[in-house]
Each structure stands twice: as structure tokens, then as C-alpha cells.
Amino acid sequence: MATRDSGRIMGDRVPFGLDAAESLSWALGSEVVAAKPECARLERTDGSGSLAAFRATEHTVVVRVRTAVGREKFYGLAAADFRDALADAGARWRVVDADC
């Protein structure tokens, strides 16, 4: 789970609640996204980054958050939670593609 400190930092950078997500190591996240199909892509409206979701299993997705300078962070979460987050993405996010 995300720690309290990282939740404050990353909470503004993702359109989903970090309490519903599991932080993944870079190695595991990279391996999963290399092998699975992308099912959603969102971009920050201020140009400060993007995220892509990959269908990991029938009920879970792995989300890759990428900063404007290319740093990556990975999260695993329930597909239903991610779909709810897409519906509530708000003005800070532009949904480019969504099929999760």
C-alpha cells in the first residue's frame, strides 16, 4: 500500500485514490505492461504527465504513471475502481482512450 508520505505527493498526480491501489516495483510494473494490452490512456491537461492502464487480469489493471520528464511509477488496482476513477477524472485529466 502507499505510505502516508507518498500518498500526499502522488495523490495529486493520479485520478484514483491511492488507498485503493497497490504500489508496484518498477521491475514488476515494467514486466506486466510489456506483456499486457493497454486499455486506457489519460494525459494531464497541464502537460505534467500521463498515465496508461494495462489489463493484467480479468478484474485488475496495472497503471503506469509517467511524469513529463519520463519517470514512471506503477500501481495495481481493481478494474472496477479504475473505471470509477475514469468517470470522475475531472478537469485535470483528458481521457485519450478508455476500454478497461
Side-chain angles (χ1 to χ4, degrees), residues 17-59:
L18 291 179
D19 57 336
E22 183 71 30
S23 180
L24 304 176
S25 71
W26 185 88
L28 176 59
S30 294
E31 185 175 319
V32 171
V33 303
K36 300 294 182 175
E38 182 179 299
C39 62
R41 177 173 299 277
L42 289 83
E43 296 176 354
R44 294 277 305 212
T45 56
D46 65 2
S48 66
S50 64
L51 70 79
F54 299 81
R55 194 178 324 263
T57 70
E58 183 179 348
H59 301 289

Side-chain angles (χ1 to χ4, degrees), residues 6-94:
S6 67
R8 279 196 321 249
I9 295 167
M10 290 304 292
D12 289 337
R13 299 179 192 256
V14 295
F16 51 85
L18 291 179
D19 57 336
E22 183 71 30
S23 180
L24 304 176
S25 71
W26 185 88
L28 176 59
S30 294
E31 185 175 319
V32 171
V33 303
K36 300 294 182 175
E38 182 179 299
C39 62
R41 177 173 299 277
L42 289 83
E43 296 176 354
R44 294 277 305 212
T45 56
D46 65 2
S48 66
S50 64
L51 70 79
F54 299 81
R55 194 178 324 263
T57 70
E58 183 179 348
H59 301 289
T60 59
V61 296
V62 170
V63 177
R64 177 187 63 211
V65 180
R66 187 175 282 163
T67 67
V69 296
R71 291 195 174 103
E72 297 175 328
K73 177 90 175 118
F74 296 92
Y75 296 96
L77 67 156
D81 291 340
F82 183 72
R83 284 190 297 270
D84 290 346
L86 284 177
D88 297 331
R92 288 195 255 181
W93 292 93
R94 181 172 64 89

